[in-house]
Amino acid sequence: MSTKTSTLKELPERGGLFSQPKAVWAVAFACVISFMGLGLVDPILPAIANQLHASKSQVSLLFTSYNLVTGLAMLITGFVSSRIGVKWTLLSGILLIIAFSALGGASDTIAQIVGFRGGWGLGNALFIATALSAIVGLSTSGTAKAIILYEAALGLGISVGPLLGGELGSISWRGPFFGVSVLMVIGFLFILFVLPKIPKPAKRSSLADPFKALSYPALKTLAIVAFLYNFGFFTLMAYSPYVMGLDEHGLGYVFFGWGILLAFTSVFVAPKLQSRFNLAASMGVMLTLFTLDLLAMGIGTFMGSPTTVIVAVIIAGIFLGINNTLITTAVMESAPVERSVASASYSFVRFLGGAASPWLAGKLSEWYNAQMPFYFGALMVFIGVLVLIVRRRHLRDIDVSHAH
């Protein structure tokens, strides 16, 4: 099953992964900076809880409001970009991130930060959904290599982000918020001056398009699996910093190692698996290994061994890097709709999982014990594996061979 349409005019394929037009590099650079914002706040979560006298579940709402608004806003990204164009959608998203990250840094209460993170999520949705379709559409090396470049930007951003967040967070928890704002100004200038004006699509997207896209069994299957595995992903992101017993610098180094492995496997390992093995089987193996990894985090927490949790978090980058590339490539080829629509509908569902899981992880630790969030995250990821097994027939027709 191959996607036949795109919001951008496809260029003839030539060259390899790094042989890309300047416009692709401009968007990829802005993606790195944008994704730095995801990991930048990880090292300061305990500091925010301590200094603002907030519980873990309250602080986790920083992720919940961000992911919830991001997911809901995904439904309008195609509607907006088909009317104002790709470039101005990207710039609008970046402006919102600049404004709301700065407002978050200037906040005095946890409620204010949670609210401004929601606005940040709106900007994030406009940017990342449009950036993915822009990189795929402008790339001269095929869908798969373009997505690998996008995932590499993600990995690089969320690996460098915690390092910078740890440095800035050691000065003040406000530092990472202001840091994101400044970095996104750089990204704004890159997009403004390097990205050419891209013609608007001949057909405007409607608000109903993402919902219609979910009627395709392959896309629906991938979205459900991503919804479930995001419970594990954001348990790792939003909850694990509390049980590692590290300061801002230490947390920054741990998530740097995690992000480096994620970026490396996205670029160098996932393509090999993609070309040699069945898609559903490869994803199933990676998610099973991630399930076991989350169980190890829970056991390490129960045994009072922060070192076990730290090692397991870093190793998780391997499984998540491979799975992210596999599932994103599959989504782009899973339904005969525009890639931006497929990305929006898939992201809408998966970010709902990312919205529920951080808050629930904090609550589970308060209701039961410190290891319960990891066990629950592992259960949800394993249910995702079962969904893959039961619905694997829907993924057989996805053709990623021409995407290379």
Side-chain angles (χ1 to χ4, degrees):
M1 185 184 297
S2 172
T3 305
K4 301 297 184 185
T5 56
S6 174
T7 53
L8 301 172
K9 183 180 179 180
E10 304 260 359
L11 297 173
E13 294 183 14
R14 54 179 170 77
L17 175 64
F18 299 106
S19 177
Q20 304 288 354
K22 284 192 300 183
V24 171
W25 290 114
V27 178
F29 176 79
C31 283
V32 171
I33 296 174
S34 174
F35 290 127
M36 284 176 73
L38 184 63
L40 211 65
V41 298
D42 262 344
I44 60 169
L45 295 178
I48 291 176
N50 291 332
Q51 294 179 34
L52 296 183
H53 309 291
S55 67
K56 294 173 187 175
S57 58
Q58 287 175 320
V59 175
S60 71
L61 290 174
L62 268 71
F63 284 93
T64 293
S65 63
Y66 177 85
N67 287 332
L68 180 61
V69 175
T70 296
L72 293 174
M74 284 291 176
L75 298 173
I76 66 167
T77 54
F79 180 86
V80 172
S81 65
S82 66
R83 284 159 176 78
I84 68 174
V86 168
K87 182 171 182 175
W88 286 106
T89 303
L90 290 170
L91 292 174
S92 298
I94 292 175
L95 283 175
L96 288 171
I97 295 172
I98 291 169
F100 283 106
S101 57
L103 288 169
S107 300
D108 294 315
T109 67
I110 193 69
Q112 288 175 346
I113 302 174
V114 169
F116 291 135
R117 280 280 285 182
W120 187 342
L122 174 60
N124 181 61
L126 291 172
F127 178 79
I128 63 172
T130 312
L132 176 56
S133 61
I135 287 177
V136 171
L138 289 167
S139 173
T140 58
S141 57
T143 301
K145 288 189 177 71
I147 288 172
I148 290 167
L149 188 63
Y150 175 82
E151 293 294 340
L154 185 153
L156 185 60
I158 61 178
S159 61
V160 175
L163 273 184
L164 185 59
E167 292 299 321
L168 296 175
S170 65
I171 301 170
S172 167
W173 67 262
R174 301 176 190 275
F177 288 89
F178 292 129
V180 168
S181 189
V182 172
L183 286 170
M184 289 309 286
V185 170
I186 299 172
F188 180 88
L189 294 175
F190 252 74
I191 297 292
L192 182 64
F193 293 111
V194 179
L195 189 68
K197 184 178 180 181
I198 299 168
K200 298 176 187 177
K203 180 186 174 184
R204 289 185 173 185
S205 297
S206 75
L207 293 174
D209 285 350
F211 294 104
K212 292 177 182 176
L214 287 172
S215 66
Y216 292 97
L219 184 57
K220 183 189 296 182
T221 300
L222 294 169
I224 292 170
V225 170
F227 170 84
L228 292 166
Y229 101 78
N230 258 9
F231 276 83
F233 183 91
F234 280 100
T235 295
L236 183 153
M237 290 288 289
Y239 179 72
S240 67
Y242 294 107
V243 297
M244 286 191 266
L246 299 173
D247 62 10
E248 290 85 354
H249 284 107
L251 290 171
Y253 287 125
V254 169
F255 281 100
F256 173 70
W258 170 75
I260 286 294
L261 286 179
L262 189 149
F264 179 83
T265 54
S266 294
V267 175
F268 298 106
V269 181
K272 289 181 170 36
L273 288 176
Q274 196 166 263
S275 61
R276 293 184 185 180
F277 299 103
N278 174 273
L279 174 69
S282 299
M283 288 172 53
V285 169
M286 289 305 110
L287 292 180
T288 300
L289 291 172
F290 184 40
T291 299
L292 296 174
D293 199 48
L294 286 165
L295 289 175
M297 294 179 207
I299 293 169
T301 303
F302 173 73
M303 298 295 291
S305 173
T307 302
T308 301
V309 180
I310 291 167
V311 172
V313 166
I314 294 172
I315 290 175
I318 297 172
F319 315 131
L320 292 171
I322 294 170
N323 188 70
N324 283 352
T325 296
L326 292 175
I327 199 168
T328 306
T329 306
V331 165
M332 292 293 101
E333 308 295 332
S334 63
V337 297
E338 292 181 350
R339 291 192 174 102
S340 59
V341 173
S343 174
S345 55
Y346 157 77
S347 296
F348 162 66
V349 176
R350 76 181 169 105
F351 273 110
L352 292 183
S357 53
W359 176 82
L360 188 57
K363 278 298 181 185
L364 287 172
S365 71
E366 294 167 14
W367 292 335
Y368 298 101
N369 50 54
Q371 63 268 21
M372 185 58 70
F374 295 116
Y375 295 150
F376 182 77
L379 174 63
M380 296 299 278
V381 176
F382 185 67
I383 293 173
V385 175
L386 297 180
V387 171
L388 267 177
I389 294 171
V390 172
R391 296 178 62 89
R392 64 187 182 279
R393 68 186 185 280
H394 297 304
L395 305 181
R396 286 175 185 158
D397 293 333
I398 295 179
D399 178 20
V400 296
S401 60
H402 76 285
H404 295 270

PDB file of all heavy atoms in Angstrom, residues 145-181:
ATOM      1  N   LYS A 145      14.830   7.423   3.414  1.00  0.00           N
ATOM      2  CA  LYS A 145      16.015   8.193   3.817  1.00  0.00           C
ATOM      3  C   LYS A 145      15.621   9.541   4.410  1.00  0.00           C
ATOM      4  O   LYS A 145      16.276  10.042   5.332  1.00  0.00           O
ATOM      5  CB  LYS A 145      16.953   8.381   2.616  1.00  0.00           C
ATOM      6  CG  LYS A 145      17.678   7.113   2.186  1.00  0.00           C
ATOM      7  CD  LYS A 145      18.742   7.411   1.154  1.00  0.00           C
ATOM      8  CE  LYS A 145      19.525   6.156   0.773  1.00  0.00           C
ATOM      9  NZ  LYS A 145      18.740   5.228  -0.017  1.00  0.00           N
ATOM     10  N   ALA A 146      14.557  10.145   3.882  1.00  0.00           N
ATOM     11  CA  ALA A 146      14.087  11.418   4.430  1.00  0.00           C
ATOM     12  C   ALA A 146      13.607  11.236   5.863  1.00  0.00           C
ATOM     13  O   ALA A 146      13.877  12.072   6.742  1.00  0.00           O
ATOM     14  CB  ALA A 146      12.961  11.976   3.563  1.00  0.00           C
ATOM     15  N   ILE A 147      12.899  10.142   6.119  1.00  0.00           N
ATOM     16  CA  ILE A 147      12.407   9.879   7.467  1.00  0.00           C
ATOM     17  C   ILE A 147      13.562   9.562   8.408  1.00  0.00           C
ATOM     18  O   ILE A 147      13.559   9.958   9.581  1.00  0.00           O
ATOM     19  CB  ILE A 147      11.362   8.745   7.442  1.00  0.00           C
ATOM     20  CG1 ILE A 147      10.073   9.266   6.799  1.00  0.00           C
ATOM     21  CG2 ILE A 147      11.068   8.217   8.843  1.00  0.00           C
ATOM     22  CD1 ILE A 147       9.026   8.226   6.533  1.00  0.00           C
ATOM     23  N   ILE A 148      14.582   8.855   7.903  1.00  0.00           N
ATOM     24  CA  ILE A 148      15.769   8.601   8.720  1.00  0.00           C
ATOM     25  C   ILE A 148      16.423   9.927   9.119  1.00  0.00           C
ATOM     26  O   ILE A 148      16.859  10.110  10.262  1.00  0.00           O
ATOM     27  CB  ILE A 148      16.777   7.714   7.948  1.00  0.00           C
ATOM     28  CG1 ILE A 148      16.214   6.291   7.810  1.00  0.00           C
ATOM     29  CG2 ILE A 148      18.134   7.676   8.652  1.00  0.00           C
ATOM     30  CD1 ILE A 148      16.964   5.439   6.811  1.00  0.00           C
ATOM     31  N   LEU A 149      16.475  10.880   8.180  1.00  0.00           N
ATOM     32  CA  LEU A 149      17.025  12.198   8.485  1.00  0.00           C
ATOM     33  C   LEU A 149      16.187  12.900   9.554  1.00  0.00           C
ATOM     34  O   LEU A 149      16.721  13.501  10.495  1.00  0.00           O
ATOM     35  CB  LEU A 149      17.068  13.049   7.201  1.00  0.00           C
ATOM     36  CG  LEU A 149      17.792  14.384   7.278  1.00  0.00           C
ATOM     37  CD1 LEU A 149      19.276  14.183   7.588  1.00  0.00           C
ATOM     38  CD2 LEU A 149      17.625  15.158   5.971  1.00  0.00           C
ATOM     39  N   TYR A 150      14.876  12.791   9.430  1.00  0.00           N
ATOM     40  CA  TYR A 150      13.956  13.385  10.423  1.00  0.00           C
ATOM     41  C   TYR A 150      14.167  12.740  11.796  1.00  0.00           C
ATOM     42  O   TYR A 150      14.253  13.434  12.815  1.00  0.00           O
ATOM     43  CB  TYR A 150      12.510  13.186   9.956  1.00  0.00           C
ATOM     44  CG  TYR A 150      11.453  13.643  10.922  1.00  0.00           C
ATOM     45  CD1 TYR A 150      11.073  14.988  10.996  1.00  0.00           C
ATOM     46  CD2 TYR A 150      10.805  12.736  11.753  1.00  0.00           C
ATOM     47  CE1 TYR A 150      10.083  15.406  11.869  1.00  0.00           C
ATOM     48  CE2 TYR A 150       9.824  13.147  12.628  1.00  0.00           C
ATOM     49  CZ  TYR A 150       9.459  14.475  12.683  1.00  0.00           C
ATOM     50  OH  TYR A 150       8.479  14.888  13.558  1.00  0.00           O
ATOM     51  N   GLU A 151      14.254  11.404  11.835  1.00  0.00           N
ATOM     52  CA  GLU A 151      14.461  10.705  13.099  1.00  0.00           C
ATOM     53  C   GLU A 151      15.842  11.001  13.680  1.00  0.00           C
ATOM     54  O   GLU A 151      16.021  11.050  14.896  1.00  0.00           O
ATOM     55  CB  GLU A 151      14.285   9.193  12.900  1.00  0.00           C
ATOM     56  CG  GLU A 151      12.868   8.762  12.546  1.00  0.00           C
ATOM     57  CD  GLU A 151      11.877   8.994  13.659  1.00  0.00           C
ATOM     58  OE1 GLU A 151      12.301   9.128  14.819  1.00  0.00           O
ATOM     59  OE2 GLU A 151      10.657   9.069  13.369  1.00  0.00           O
ATOM     60  N   ALA A 152      16.832  11.200  12.795  1.00  0.00           N
ATOM     61  CA  ALA A 152      18.163  11.579  13.271  1.00  0.00           C
ATOM     62  C   ALA A 152      18.121  12.953  13.935  1.00  0.00           C
ATOM     63  O   ALA A 152      18.763  13.178  14.967  1.00  0.00           O
ATOM     64  CB  ALA A 152      19.158  11.579  12.118  1.00  0.00           C
ATOM     65  N   ALA A 153      17.361  13.877  13.323  1.00  0.00           N
ATOM     66  CA  ALA A 153      17.190  15.201  13.931  1.00  0.00           C
ATOM     67  C   ALA A 153      16.516  15.076  15.282  1.00  0.00           C
ATOM     68  O   ALA A 153      16.882  15.759  16.253  1.00  0.00           O
ATOM     69  CB  ALA A 153      16.368  16.096  12.998  1.00  0.00           C
ATOM     70  N   LEU A 154      15.508  14.188  15.368  1.00  0.00           N
ATOM     71  CA  LEU A 154      14.828  13.948  16.638  1.00  0.00           C
ATOM     72  C   LEU A 154      15.823  13.436  17.677  1.00  0.00           C
ATOM     73  O   LEU A 154      15.896  13.950  18.796  1.00  0.00           O
ATOM     74  CB  LEU A 154      13.695  12.932  16.427  1.00  0.00           C
ATOM     75  CG  LEU A 154      12.780  12.620  17.608  1.00  0.00           C
ATOM     76  CD1 LEU A 154      11.411  12.165  17.102  1.00  0.00           C
ATOM     77  CD2 LEU A 154      13.364  11.531  18.514  1.00  0.00           C
ATOM     78  N   GLY A 155      16.598  12.416  17.291  1.00  0.00           N
ATOM     79  CA  GLY A 155      17.557  11.834  18.225  1.00  0.00           C
ATOM     80  C   GLY A 155      18.625  12.815  18.671  1.00  0.00           C
ATOM     81  O   GLY A 155      18.967  12.892  19.857  1.00  0.00           O
ATOM     82  N   LEU A 156      19.142  13.581  17.712  1.00  0.00           N
ATOM     83  CA  LEU A 156      20.170  14.573  18.036  1.00  0.00           C
ATOM     84  C   LEU A 156      19.610  15.641  18.962  1.00  0.00           C
ATOM     85  O   LEU A 156      20.245  16.044  19.939  1.00  0.00           O
ATOM     86  CB  LEU A 156      20.700  15.212  16.744  1.00  0.00           C
ATOM     87  CG  LEU A 156      21.870  16.182  16.885  1.00  0.00           C
ATOM     88  CD1 LEU A 156      23.074  15.487  17.514  1.00  0.00           C
ATOM     89  CD2 LEU A 156      22.242  16.779  15.530  1.00  0.00           C
ATOM     90  N   GLY A 157      18.386  16.078  18.665  1.00  0.00           N
ATOM     91  CA  GLY A 157      17.761  17.120  19.485  1.00  0.00           C
ATOM     92  C   GLY A 157      17.506  16.663  20.908  1.00  0.00           C
ATOM     93  O   GLY A 157      17.840  17.375  21.866  1.00  0.00           O
ATOM     94  N   ILE A 158      16.932  15.463  21.059  1.00  0.00           N
ATOM     95  CA  ILE A 158      16.594  15.033  22.413  1.00  0.00           C
ATOM     96  C   ILE A 158      17.792  14.451  23.157  1.00  0.00           C
ATOM     97  O   ILE A 158      17.692  14.147  24.353  1.00  0.00           O
ATOM     98  CB  ILE A 158      15.422  14.028  22.429  1.00  0.00           C
ATOM     99  CG1 ILE A 158      15.752  12.763  21.663  1.00  0.00           C
ATOM    100  CG2 ILE A 158      14.161  14.661  21.905  1.00  0.00           C
ATOM    101  CD1 ILE A 158      14.634  11.740  21.692  1.00  0.00           C
ATOM    102  N   SER A 159      18.925  14.278  22.480  1.00  0.00           N
ATOM    103  CA  SER A 159      20.144  13.889  23.189  1.00  0.00           C
ATOM    104  C   SER A 159      20.918  15.119  23.662  1.00  0.00           C
ATOM    105  O   SER A 159      21.420  15.153  24.789  1.00  0.00           O
ATOM    106  CB  SER A 159      21.032  13.014  22.301  1.00  0.00           C
ATOM    107  OG  SER A 159      21.437  13.702  21.140  1.00  0.00           O
ATOM    108  N   VAL A 160      21.005  16.127  22.807  1.00  0.00           N
ATOM    109  CA  VAL A 160      21.718  17.353  23.190  1.00  0.00           C
ATOM    110  C   VAL A 160      20.870  18.183  24.160  1.00  0.00           C
ATOM    111  O   VAL A 160      21.395  18.849  25.053  1.00  0.00           O
ATOM    112  CB  VAL A 160      22.073  18.185  21.938  1.00  0.00           C
ATOM    113  CG1 VAL A 160      22.714  19.509  22.334  1.00  0.00           C
ATOM    114  CG2 VAL A 160      23.023  17.403  21.033  1.00  0.00           C
ATOM    115  N   GLY A 161      19.540  18.124  23.989  1.00  0.00           N
ATOM    116  CA  GLY A 161      18.640  18.902  24.836  1.00  0.00           C
ATOM    117  C   GLY A 161      18.864  18.706  26.331  1.00  0.00           C
ATOM    118  O   GLY A 161      19.016  19.687  27.075  1.00  0.00           O
ATOM    119  N   PRO A 162      18.905  17.438  26.818  1.00  0.00           N
ATOM    120  CA  PRO A 162      19.136  17.246  28.258  1.00  0.00           C
ATOM    121  C   PRO A 162      20.482  17.757  28.747  1.00  0.00           C
ATOM    122  O   PRO A 162      20.594  18.217  29.884  1.00  0.00           O
ATOM    123  CB  PRO A 162      19.046  15.719  28.408  1.00  0.00           C
ATOM    124  CG  PRO A 162      18.201  15.280  27.275  1.00  0.00           C
ATOM    125  CD  PRO A 162      18.557  16.187  26.140  1.00  0.00           C
ATOM    126  N   LEU A 163      21.531  17.662  27.893  1.00  0.00           N
ATOM    127  CA  LEU A 163      22.833  18.207  28.295  1.00  0.00           C
ATOM    128  C   LEU A 163      22.721  19.703  28.554  1.00  0.00           C
ATOM    129  O   LEU A 163      23.168  20.216  29.578  1.00  0.00           O
ATOM    130  CB  LEU A 163      23.873  17.957  27.203  1.00  0.00           C
ATOM    131  CG  LEU A 163      24.633  16.634  27.202  1.00  0.00           C
ATOM    132  CD1 LEU A 163      25.676  16.646  26.100  1.00  0.00           C
ATOM    133  CD2 LEU A 163      25.286  16.389  28.556  1.00  0.00           C
ATOM    134  N   LEU A 164      22.109  20.397  27.578  1.00  0.00           N
ATOM    135  CA  LEU A 164      21.927  21.844  27.735  1.00  0.00           C
ATOM    136  C   LEU A 164      20.976  22.141  28.886  1.00  0.00           C
ATOM    137  O   LEU A 164      21.193  23.076  29.662  1.00  0.00           O
ATOM    138  CB  LEU A 164      21.403  22.440  26.427  1.00  0.00           C
ATOM    139  CG  LEU A 164      21.258  23.959  26.374  1.00  0.00           C
ATOM    140  CD1 LEU A 164      22.612  24.633  26.626  1.00  0.00           C
ATOM    141  CD2 LEU A 164      20.695  24.395  25.023  1.00  0.00           C
ATOM    142  N   GLY A 165      19.929  21.304  28.994  1.00  0.00           N
ATOM    143  CA  GLY A 165      18.971  21.494  30.081  1.00  0.00           C
ATOM    144  C   GLY A 165      19.611  21.314  31.439  1.00  0.00           C
ATOM    145  O   GLY A 165      19.308  22.038  32.391  1.00  0.00           O
ATOM    146  N   GLY A 166      20.530  20.338  31.531  1.00  0.00           N
ATOM    147  CA  GLY A 166      21.230  20.126  32.790  1.00  0.00           C
ATOM    148  C   GLY A 166      22.112  21.302  33.164  1.00  0.00           C
ATOM    149  O   GLY A 166      22.179  21.705  34.328  1.00  0.00           O
ATOM    150  N   GLU A 167      22.808  21.861  32.151  1.00  0.00           N
ATOM    151  CA  GLU A 167      23.674  23.014  32.411  1.00  0.00           C
ATOM    152  C   GLU A 167      22.851  24.236  32.816  1.00  0.00           C
ATOM    153  O   GLU A 167      23.152  24.906  33.807  1.00  0.00           O
ATOM    154  CB  GLU A 167      24.505  23.335  31.167  1.00  0.00           C
ATOM    155  CG  GLU A 167      25.543  22.286  30.811  1.00  0.00           C
ATOM    156  CD  GLU A 167      26.564  22.089  31.921  1.00  0.00           C
ATOM    157  OE1 GLU A 167      26.963  23.091  32.552  1.00  0.00           O
ATOM    158  OE2 GLU A 167      26.948  20.935  32.163  1.00  0.00           O
ATOM    159  N   LEU A 168      21.821  24.531  32.038  1.00  0.00           N
ATOM    160  CA  LEU A 168      20.989  25.691  32.346  1.00  0.00           C
ATOM    161  C   LEU A 168      20.177  25.463  33.619  1.00  0.00           C
ATOM    162  O   LEU A 168      19.961  26.383  34.412  1.00  0.00           O
ATOM    163  CB  LEU A 168      20.040  25.989  31.171  1.00  0.00           C
ATOM    164  CG  LEU A 168      20.699  26.406  29.851  1.00  0.00           C
ATOM    165  CD1 LEU A 168      19.661  26.540  28.744  1.00  0.00           C
ATOM    166  CD2 LEU A 168      21.455  27.729  30.023  1.00  0.00           C
ATOM    167  N   GLY A 169      19.712  24.205  33.805  1.00  0.00           N
ATOM    168  CA  GLY A 169      18.905  23.899  34.982  1.00  0.00           C
ATOM    169  C   GLY A 169      19.697  23.962  36.274  1.00  0.00           C
ATOM    170  O   GLY A 169      19.121  24.189  37.347  1.00  0.00           O
ATOM    171  N   SER A 170      21.014  23.758  36.196  1.00  0.00           N
ATOM    172  CA  SER A 170      21.836  23.856  37.409  1.00  0.00           C
ATOM    173  C   SER A 170      21.934  25.297  37.892  1.00  0.00           C
ATOM    174  O   SER A 170      22.224  25.550  39.062  1.00  0.00           O
ATOM    175  CB  SER A 170      23.231  23.291  37.142  1.00  0.00           C
ATOM    176  OG  SER A 170      23.923  24.082  36.179  1.00  0.00           O
ATOM    177  N   ILE A 171      21.685  26.232  36.979  1.00  0.00           N
ATOM    178  CA  ILE A 171      21.649  27.659  37.350  1.00  0.00           C
ATOM    179  C   ILE A 171      20.283  28.001  37.913  1.00  0.00           C
ATOM    180  O   ILE A 171      20.145  28.601  38.980  1.00  0.00           O
ATOM    181  CB  ILE A 171      21.965  28.536  36.118  1.00  0.00           C
ATOM    182  CG1 ILE A 171      23.336  28.186  35.551  1.00  0.00           C
ATOM    183  CG2 ILE A 171      21.882  30.014  36.488  1.00  0.00           C
ATOM    184  CD1 ILE A 171      23.630  28.826  34.215  1.00  0.00           C
ATOM    185  N   SER A 172      19.233  27.609  37.174  1.00  0.00           N
ATOM    186  CA  SER A 172      17.846  27.834  37.600  1.00  0.00           C
ATOM    187  C   SER A 172      16.939  26.934  36.775  1.00  0.00           C
ATOM    188  O   SER A 172      17.229  26.667  35.601  1.00  0.00           O
ATOM    189  CB  SER A 172      17.450  29.298  37.385  1.00  0.00           C
ATOM    190  OG  SER A 172      16.040  29.468  37.508  1.00  0.00           O
ATOM    191  N   TRP A 173      15.835  26.477  37.364  1.00  0.00           N
ATOM    192  CA  TRP A 173      14.907  25.654  36.592  1.00  0.00           C
ATOM    193  C   TRP A 173      14.301  26.460  35.442  1.00  0.00           C
ATOM    194  O   TRP A 173      13.797  25.893  34.472  1.00  0.00           O
ATOM    195  CB  TRP A 173      13.798  25.088  37.486  1.00  0.00           C
ATOM    196  CG  TRP A 173      12.838  26.119  38.062  1.00  0.00           C
ATOM    197  CD1 TRP A 173      12.882  26.675  39.306  1.00  0.00           C
ATOM    198  CD2 TRP A 173      11.700  26.696  37.402  1.00  0.00           C
ATOM    199  NE1 TRP A 173      11.849  27.571  39.462  1.00  0.00           N
ATOM    200  CE2 TRP A 173      11.100  27.605  38.318  1.00  0.00           C
ATOM    201  CE3 TRP A 173      11.131  26.547  36.145  1.00  0.00           C
ATOM    202  CZ2 TRP A 173       9.966  28.338  38.006  1.00  0.00           C
ATOM    203  CZ3 TRP A 173       9.997  27.282  35.823  1.00  0.00           C
ATOM    204  CH2 TRP A 173       9.426  28.168  36.748  1.00  0.00           C
ATOM    205  N   ARG A 174      14.356  27.779  35.527  1.00  0.00           N
ATOM    206  CA  ARG A 174      13.813  28.622  34.462  1.00  0.00           C
ATOM    207  C   ARG A 174      14.706  28.636  33.218  1.00  0.00           C
ATOM    208  O   ARG A 174      14.240  28.915  32.109  1.00  0.00           O
ATOM    209  CB  ARG A 174      13.639  30.062  34.960  1.00  0.00           C
ATOM    210  CG  ARG A 174      12.717  30.201  36.165  1.00  0.00           C
ATOM    211  CD  ARG A 174      12.687  31.649  36.661  1.00  0.00           C
ATOM    212  NE  ARG A 174      11.997  31.765  37.940  1.00  0.00           N
ATOM    213  CZ  ARG A 174      10.683  31.899  38.075  1.00  0.00           C
ATOM    214  NH1 ARG A 174       9.923  31.954  37.001  1.00  0.00           N
ATOM    215  NH2 ARG A 174      10.128  31.989  39.258  1.00  0.00           N
ATOM    216  N   GLY A 175      15.993  28.339  33.417  1.00  0.00           N
ATOM    217  CA  GLY A 175      16.952  28.426  32.325  1.00  0.00           C
ATOM    218  C   GLY A 175      16.583  27.646  31.075  1.00  0.00           C
ATOM    219  O   GLY A 175      16.634  28.190  29.957  1.00  0.00           O
ATOM    220  N   PRO A 176      16.203  26.357  31.200  1.00  0.00           N
ATOM    221  CA  PRO A 176      15.857  25.591  30.000  1.00  0.00           C
ATOM    222  C   PRO A 176      14.686  26.182  29.207  1.00  0.00           C
ATOM    223  O   PRO A 176      14.671  26.091  27.973  1.00  0.00           O
ATOM    224  CB  PRO A 176      15.500  24.213  30.565  1.00  0.00           C
ATOM    225  CG  PRO A 176      16.321  24.110  31.805  1.00  0.00           C
ATOM    226  CD  PRO A 176      16.305  25.496  32.386  1.00  0.00           C
ATOM    227  N   PHE A 177      13.728  26.763  29.895  1.00  0.00           N
ATOM    228  CA  PHE A 177      12.589  27.362  29.192  1.00  0.00           C
ATOM    229  C   PHE A 177      13.048  28.544  28.326  1.00  0.00           C
ATOM    230  O   PHE A 177      12.681  28.661  27.158  1.00  0.00           O
ATOM    231  CB  PHE A 177      11.526  27.830  30.190  1.00  0.00           C
ATOM    232  CG  PHE A 177      10.763  26.720  30.846  1.00  0.00           C
ATOM    233  CD1 PHE A 177      11.211  26.146  32.024  1.00  0.00           C
ATOM    234  CD2 PHE A 177       9.597  26.233  30.276  1.00  0.00           C
ATOM    235  CE1 PHE A 177      10.508  25.118  32.631  1.00  0.00           C
ATOM    236  CE2 PHE A 177       8.883  25.206  30.870  1.00  0.00           C
ATOM    237  CZ  PHE A 177       9.337  24.646  32.054  1.00  0.00           C
ATOM    238  N   PHE A 178      13.855  29.405  28.928  1.00  0.00           N
ATOM    239  CA  PHE A 178      14.378  30.539  28.165  1.00  0.00           C
ATOM    240  C   PHE A 178      15.343  30.062  27.079  1.00  0.00           C
ATOM    241  O   PHE A 178      15.425  30.664  25.995  1.00  0.00           O
ATOM    242  CB  PHE A 178      15.082  31.528  29.103  1.00  0.00           C
ATOM    243  CG  PHE A 178      14.145  32.232  30.051  1.00  0.00           C
ATOM    244  CD1 PHE A 178      14.398  32.259  31.413  1.00  0.00           C
ATOM    245  CD2 PHE A 178      13.005  32.875  29.575  1.00  0.00           C
ATOM    246  CE1 PHE A 178      13.544  32.904  32.292  1.00  0.00           C
ATOM    247  CE2 PHE A 178      12.137  33.521  30.450  1.00  0.00           C
ATOM    248  CZ  PHE A 178      12.407  33.535  31.809  1.00  0.00           C
ATOM    249  N   GLY A 179      16.066  28.959  27.371  1.00  0.00           N
ATOM    250  CA  GLY A 179      16.991  28.405  26.373  1.00  0.00           C
ATOM    251  C   GLY A 179      16.265  27.952  25.121  1.00  0.00           C
ATOM    252  O   GLY A 179      16.715  28.205  23.994  1.00  0.00           O
ATOM    253  N   VAL A 180      15.122  27.279  25.297  1.00  0.00           N
ATOM    254  CA  VAL A 180      14.314  26.853  24.150  1.00  0.00           C
ATOM    255  C   VAL A 180      13.877  28.058  23.332  1.00  0.00           C
ATOM    256  O   VAL A 180      13.937  28.057  22.096  1.00  0.00           O
ATOM    257  CB  VAL A 180      13.074  26.059  24.611  1.00  0.00           C
ATOM    258  CG1 VAL A 180      12.089  25.862  23.458  1.00  0.00           C
ATOM    259  CG2 VAL A 180      13.489  24.707  25.163  1.00  0.00           C
ATOM    260  N   SER A 181      13.448  29.105  24.011  1.00  0.00           N
ATOM    261  CA  SER A 181      12.962  30.299  23.326  1.00  0.00           C
ATOM    262  C   SER A 181      14.049  30.910  22.444  1.00  0.00           C
ATOM    263  O   SER A 181      13.809  31.252  21.279  1.00  0.00           O
ATOM    264  CB  SER A 181      12.477  31.318  24.366  1.00  0.00           C
ATOM    265  OG  SER A 181      11.815  32.395  23.748  1.00  0.00           O
TER     266      SER A 181
END
